[in-house]
Amino acid sequence: MNHGEIVSFIWGVADLIRDSFRRGKYQDVILPLTVLRRLDCVLAPTKEKVLGREAELSARKLENRDQQLRRASGFAFYNTSRYDFDKLLADAPHVAANLRNYIAGFSPNMREVLERFDFDNTITKLDEAGLLFQVLQRFRSVDLHPDKIDNATMGTIFEELIRKFNEALDENPGEHFTPRDVVHLMVDLMLAGDETRIRTPGAVRTVYDPCCGSGGMLTITKEHVLRGVRRNGEVLRPPINAAAEIHLFGQEVNPETWAVSRSDLFMKDPTGRDADNIAFGSTLSNDRHAASHFDYLIANPPYGKDWKRDEDAVRAEHERGAAGRFAPGLPRISDGQLLFLLHMLAKAKDRKEGGSRIAIIMNGSPLFTGDAGSGESEIRRYVLENDLLEALIALPEQLFYNTGIATYVWVVTNRKAPKRRGKVQLIDATSFWVPMRKSLGDKRREIPPERRDEIVKILTEFKEGETSKIFPTTQFGFRKITVERPLRLNFQATPERVARLDEERGFQALAQSKKKDAAGAKEQAEGRAQQDAIRALLNSLPTTVYQDRDTFVKVLETAARKADMKIAAPVMKALLSALSERDESAAVCRDLDGRPEPDPELRDTESVPLSESVEAFFEREVKPHVPDAWIDREKRDEKDGEVGLVGYEINFNRYFYRYQPPRLLEEIDADIRALEKDIVRMLAEMTGSVIGSEE
C-alpha cells in the first residue's frame, strides 16, 4: 500500500467514530493509535526476547533493568507488557484495561511520549461508546512496520493526517509541517558549498530545528548527508558522507506533533540519542537548549502567528541586550517569524568554532513590514549590517497545504565565502515548479528534484542572470529623513474664528477648577467672567486680515493693555490657534530665535539610499520642488548619530520586475469587432428561436 492508500485506510476509522466524536476530535483517536500501532509493529520481532529478559531480571530482583531491556529490544525503548495488538483483541471484554496495561508496559521514555496524546481519556470515551474493540481491530489490520512503510513515507502519512485534522478544526497546518519538496530544497540550500567540510574524516555535525513539528526537516537533513537523495528507491544523489555523525536537536510546542517527532526518532535511531534531544515547550519563552550552539539550523516558523503567550519572557530577554537572544529588536506582536530568526542566530556557532549555516522559510512580511526604526527594520538591519544574509530565494506560490501565498527561503551564515562578503544574492525561483497530479488542500504545485538542482546551482554559481541578482548589503538600506516646510498663517478676529475659541483646551481651562464646593464654584465663575472679557476684547478688534503673526500679536497685546487685561501664555496660544488659518502668501512664523517654525501639516519624509549623501539627495530631489523646505536635523539615528533614521527593507519584486508592454490598439479593436459579431449572431439565433416557437 502506498502512503495515500494507508492514509485513506486509517482515516476510515472516522466512519466508526463519527457518531461519538466531533470531527475536530478525530485526531484524539487516530493520531495516538497510528503511533501505537507503528511501535507495536517495530517491537514485534523482539517482543518475546524482551519478556524473557524481563522475567529473568525480575527473578534476580534487579531494579535497574532499563539498559538491558533496551539491548533486548534493539531500540532505546521497549514494552514489558504481555499484550500486543493481537492479544488485546483476543480478550474483547477487558480490552480497555488490557490496553492501559499495554501502554503502561512501555519504557519511561516512550510513556512520556504517549502521555502527550492524553490518550487515557480517549480510551474511556471509546470504551463507553462500545467502539474501542472495533477501532483496535481496524488498526491491527494495517502493517506500519518501517520495513513496510519507510520513515519518509510515514512522515508524509503523519503530515497528511495532521492536515486533515486541522482542516476539520479550521486551523493552520503550516504550523506543523512543511511539504517534503520544500524541505529537500531548504536542506540543499543550507548544505550548499559545505560538502567538503562534511566529508572530513570523523566529521561530527549538529542540526537544530527550533519549531521541529513532526521532525521532517531534521530527518531529511540527516538523510541527505548519510543516505543521499532518493525517489521511489532510486538514488538521485549519493550520500555526502555516510560515515559522518549527525546529531539532531529540536524543540516543539505542540504536544501531539512533539510526540510524533520523538516516537519516530526513537524508531529510527537505536541509541535514542536524537529522540532525547527533541525538547517540549515554547522555544521563544523557554529555550530548552539554552547552552547549545549548532552547525546547521533549519526551520519553518508559523506565519503571521502572534507571540502574546511568550511576550513577557521575550520582552524581558530583549531588555538584557546582548546577553539575550532578542537584542536587535522585537517585531510587532502579531507576527513572531523574525523572533525565530533571531533565536537561530543566537544558537549559531561562533565563526572561530567553524560558524553555522541557517535556512529559514518565511512569508513576505519579514522582508518589508515595519518602517525605519521599527523592530522589524532593526532586525533586518542587524542581519545585513553584520553581513549574515547570503541569499534570498523566492519560491513558487501554491506550494503549501494551507496557503497559496508567496514564501521565501533565507540562507543565513556567519562564514560567507570571500567572494560573497558584503553581498546578497536574490534568486527568483517562482517559475521552478510543476503542477501536481492531485491537489492537497491549497498545494497544487511542487518543486521536483530536477528544478531543485537548478535552484541550488544558481546559488552556488553566484552569477548575475535572469533569475539571479547580486547586490551589496547597503542596497537594501536607507535613511528616512524628515522634511519640514515653514508655517504660514494669517490672523483675523471674525465672529466665526472667535467662536472656535470654545474648542481650545487652553481657553476651556480658564473655567475649570480642581477645588471643590464653594471655592471651586468661585474659581469657575471667575474663569467664565475672564472668558467673556476675552471674547469682548477680540470682538472689539478690527476684522483686518493680518498676514504676519508678530504684527497681529502686537495688535492683540496693545488692546489687552488698554483693557487692563493680562493674557497668560497658554491662553495666548489658544487665541492664536483659534484665530489663524493657513495662508501660502502669509509671512513665515518664526520662533524666539528667529528660526522658521515647521508646519505639521506640510511635514513629509524622504527615503535616501545609504549609498547616497543626504545633502546631495535633498538638493536634487526636494529643493527644486519646494525651495523653502529644510531637513529636521534633530531627528538622528540612535546607533550612528547621523541625520535620519536608518531602515532596511527588501522589496524583492522590484528587482525582478519585467515590463509587459500593452497590447496594440489594432489587436484590441479586432477583438472587440469579433465579440460584436458574436453578440449579433447570438441575438439573431435567440430571436429566430423565439419566433419559431410562437409559430
Side-chain angles (χ1 to χ4, degrees):
M1 298 174 70
N2 62 40
H3 78 268
E5 292 170 329
I6 294 175
V7 169
S8 298
F9 181 80
I10 298 175
W11 190 252
V13 174
D15 293 333
L16 296 174
I17 64 176
R18 67 172 69 253
D19 294 330
S20 301
F21 287 79
R22 298 195 312 274
R23 183 174 175 83
K25 292 294 184 180
Y26 289 176
Q27 68 177 29
D28 294 351
V29 177
I30 296 174
L31 201 55
L33 278 173
T34 302
V35 171
L36 202 60
R37 176 57 181 154
R38 188 160 170 83
L39 294 174
D40 189 67
C41 293
V42 166
L43 293 178
T46 58
K47 179 74 173 179
E48 294 304 320
K49 184 178 179 181
V50 169
L51 292 178
R53 189 61 175 154
E54 164 68 6
E56 179 186 339
L57 296 173
S58 178
R60 292 164 54 186
K61 297 183 179 180
L62 292 178
E63 294 185 2
N64 191 1
R65 310 168 191 171
D66 186 71
Q67 291 301 320
Q68 296 194 56
L69 292 175
R70 289 188 183 197
R71 283 195 289 271
S73 74
F75 292 92
F77 65 98
Y78 49 86
N79 187 296
T80 57
S81 168
R82 69 184 184 88
Y83 292 102
D84 55 19
F85 269 58
D86 287 334
K87 290 185 173 64
L88 288 171
L89 294 171
D91 186 9
H94 306 101
V95 65
N98 294 342
L99 178 57
R100 288 188 170 94
N101 177 278
Y102 174 57
I103 293 172
F106 277 101
S107 52
N109 55 0
M110 189 55 73
R111 279 205 309 275
E112 180 189 9
V113 170
L114 296 173
E115 286 169 1
R116 293 294 178 187
F117 290 115
D118 193 23
F119 190 47
D120 193 69
N121 289 331
T122 302
I123 293 174
T124 300
K125 292 178 183 178
L126 285 169
D127 190 39
E128 291 175 349
L131 295 170
L132 184 58
F133 181 86
Q134 297 176 64
V135 170
L136 287 176
Q137 191 175 42
R138 188 169 186 88
F139 274 96
R140 166 62 186 82
S141 64
V142 61
D143 188 352
L144 298 181
H145 192 283
D147 291 343
K148 301 289 185 179
I149 309 295
D150 64 24
N151 289 320
T153 303
M154 197 65 225
T156 305
I157 290 171
F158 280 133
E159 291 170 359
E160 291 191 16
L161 286 172
I162 292 169
R163 177 178 65 83
K164 287 177 177 286
F165 298 146
N166 287 315
E167 285 177 355
L169 294 170
D170 194 26
E171 289 186 358
N172 180 0
E175 295 180 11
H176 300 290
F177 63 92
T178 313
R180 284 296 188 257
D181 55 326
V182 177
V183 178
H184 281 291
L185 173 62
M186 291 179 66
V187 172
D188 281 346
L189 293 169
M190 178 177 66
L191 300 180
D194 261 26
E195 292 81 3
T196 302
R197 283 173 172 264
I198 298 171
R199 292 191 185 106
T200 303
V204 179
R205 298 291 182 267
T206 54
V207 186
Y208 172 66
D209 184 344
C211 38
C212 65
S214 56
M217 290 190 170
L218 292 172
T219 56
I220 288 178
T221 302
K222 189 169 186 175
E223 288 171 3
H224 274 229
V225 176
L226 302 182
R227 298 181 67 244
V229 179
R230 301 167 185 247
R231 179 173 57 184
N232 300 325
E234 176 191 1
V235 178
L236 301 180
R237 190 189 309 148
I240 299 174
N241 182 359
E245 276 195 52
I246 305 298
H247 297 192
L248 305 182
F249 296 81
Q251 186 163 338
E252 172 58 31
V253 69
N254 180 282
E256 289 86 4
T257 46
W258 174 84
V260 168
S261 173
R262 197 162 190 196
S263 64
D264 192 41
L265 287 173
F266 270 128
M267 287 181 273
K268 287 178 179 177
D269 178 13
T271 70
R273 180 189 63 205
D274 289 340
D276 289 336
N277 291 335
I278 305 301
F280 176 72
S282 173
T283 299
L284 297 181
S285 58
N286 182 21
D287 178 12
R288 298 286 301 278
H289 297 288
S292 302
H293 298 83
F294 307 97
D295 297 294
Y296 300 102
L297 303 95
I298 187 168
N300 173 20
Y303 304 155
K305 184 179 179 182
D306 69 64
W307 44 282
K308 290 179 182 177
R309 62 178 291 178
D310 302 306
E311 182 175 5
D312 291 345
V314 169
R315 292 194 183 279
E317 192 163 349
H318 171 66
E319 293 300 322
R320 290 166 52 194
R325 294 170 290 168
F326 311 117
L330 298 180
R332 61 199 64 198
I333 194 72
S334 60
D335 189 354
Q337 292 177 88
L338 284 170
L339 288 178
F340 282 95
L341 175 59
L342 288 180
H343 167 78
M344 295 169 81
L345 287 170
K347 309 300 289 182
K349 285 187 174 180
D350 189 273
R351 184 179 174 84
K352 297 176 183 177
E353 299 175 355
S356 301
R357 284 182 67 81
I358 297 170
I360 180 171
I361 186 169
M362 298 184 279
N363 65 16
S365 178
L367 295 177
F368 51 78
T369 299
D371 201 355
S374 68
E376 292 91 348
S377 179
E378 286 298 293
I379 294 171
R380 291 189 292 267
R381 179 180 185 177
Y382 174 81
V383 170
L384 288 161
E385 290 189 351
N386 285 280
D387 199 15
L388 298 171
L389 182 60
E390 178 176 291
L392 191 65
I393 299 92
L395 299 186
E397 297 179 351
Q398 301 178 35
L399 283 182
F400 286 79
Y401 302 106
N402 61 306
T403 178
I405 63 173
T407 52
Y408 303 81
V409 177
W410 296 46
V411 180
V412 180
T413 182
N414 56 1
R415 51 174 172 82
K416 283 186 180 181
K419 66 180 180 180
R420 289 183 177 272
R421 289 173 190 165
K423 299 175 183 178
V424 176
Q425 183 179 13
L426 304 185
I427 299 175
D428 179 12
T430 54
S431 62
F432 289 58
W433 58 272
V434 296
M436 294 181 64
R437 286 179 295 177
K438 181 181 178 182
S439 297
L440 291 173
D442 289 322
K443 183 173 176 59
R444 301 178 181 88
R445 299 171 176 175
E446 61 184 351
I447 304 174
E450 300 77 19
R451 304 312 307 268
R452 187 167 74 232
D453 291 343
E454 292 177 39
I455 297 170
V456 176
K457 184 179 180 183
I458 293 171
L459 174 73
T460 55
E461 287 184 343
F462 193 57
K463 295 178 181 178
E464 289 267 358
E466 184 178 355
T467 57
S468 173
K469 307 291 182 184
I470 299 170
F471 300 101
T473 56
T474 54
Q475 173 73 29
F476 311 107
F478 61 93
R479 285 190 184 276
K480 183 180 178 182
I481 60 172
T482 301
V483 177
E484 301 282 14
R485 293 183 62 191
L487 180 66
R488 299 174 185 270
L489 301 172
N490 68 42
F491 299 84
Q492 188 179 22
T494 61
E496 293 79 13
R497 297 193 188 188
V498 172
R500 296 201 299 242
L501 257 181
D502 294 334
E503 301 171 8
E504 298 288 336
R505 290 186 179 181
F507 188 73
Q508 294 170 356
L510 288 173
Q512 297 170 350
S513 175
K514 294 182 180 180
K515 295 180 180 179
K516 298 181 180 179
D517 302 327
K522 180 181 179 183
E523 274 196 359
Q524 291 173 4
E526 291 173 350
R528 287 193 291 271
Q530 189 176 358
Q531 287 177 333
D532 291 339
I534 291 173
R535 290 191 189 95
L537 174 68
L538 297 178
N539 288 327
S540 70
L541 295 176
T543 57
T544 305
V545 176
Y546 295 88
Q547 291 188 301
D548 183 284
R549 186 174 65 183
D550 292 342
T551 301
F552 178 72
V553 168
K554 290 178 182 178
V555 170
L556 187 57
E557 290 176 341
T558 299
R561 282 197 299 272
K562 289 181 179 178
D564 196 24
M565 182 184 300
K566 291 184 179 180
I567 301 177
V571 179
M572 177 63 78
K573 183 178 179 181
L575 296 181
L576 295 176
S577 175
L579 302 179
S580 65
E581 289 183 357
R582 280 172 172 75
D583 182 349
E584 291 185 3
S585 62
V588 173
C589 297
R590 298 181 180 275
D591 61 19
L592 296 176
D593 296 322
R595 296 173 300 191
E597 291 184 15
D599 185 344
E601 292 189 6
L602 297 179
R603 183 172 294 140
D604 200 359
T605 59
E606 293 285 345
S607 295
V608 183
L610 286 183
S611 57
E612 188 169 352
S613 159
V614 167
E615 298 296 338
F617 178 92
F618 182 75
E619 291 296 326
R620 185 185 71 250
E621 300 292 338
V622 180
K623 271 289 189 180
H625 307 289
V626 277
D628 58 357
W630 71 92
I631 300 172
D632 182 354
R633 300 185 180 280
E634 298 299 317
K635 292 183 178 178
R636 294 177 174 267
D637 188 79
E638 289 186 4
K639 291 182 178 176
D640 65 16
E642 299 294 327
V643 173
L645 298 179
V646 172
Y648 280 85
E649 66 177 18
I650 305 176
N651 189 334
F652 198 96
N653 293 333
R654 176 193 303 164
Y655 302 109
F656 290 94
Y657 172 75
R658 297 180 183 89
Y659 173 71
Q660 297 290 339
R663 296 175 61 200
L664 295 174
L665 289 176
E666 291 80 1
E667 293 179 5
I668 298 172
D669 185 58
D671 286 346
I672 293 173
R673 291 181 184 279
L675 287 171
E676 287 176 344
K677 289 179 181 179
D678 287 342
I679 293 170
V680 170
R681 177 181 53 79
M682 288 187 287
L683 286 173
E685 290 175 356
M686 291 176 62
T687 305
S689 64
V690 171
I691 294 172
S693 65
E694 289 178 345
E695 292 176 351

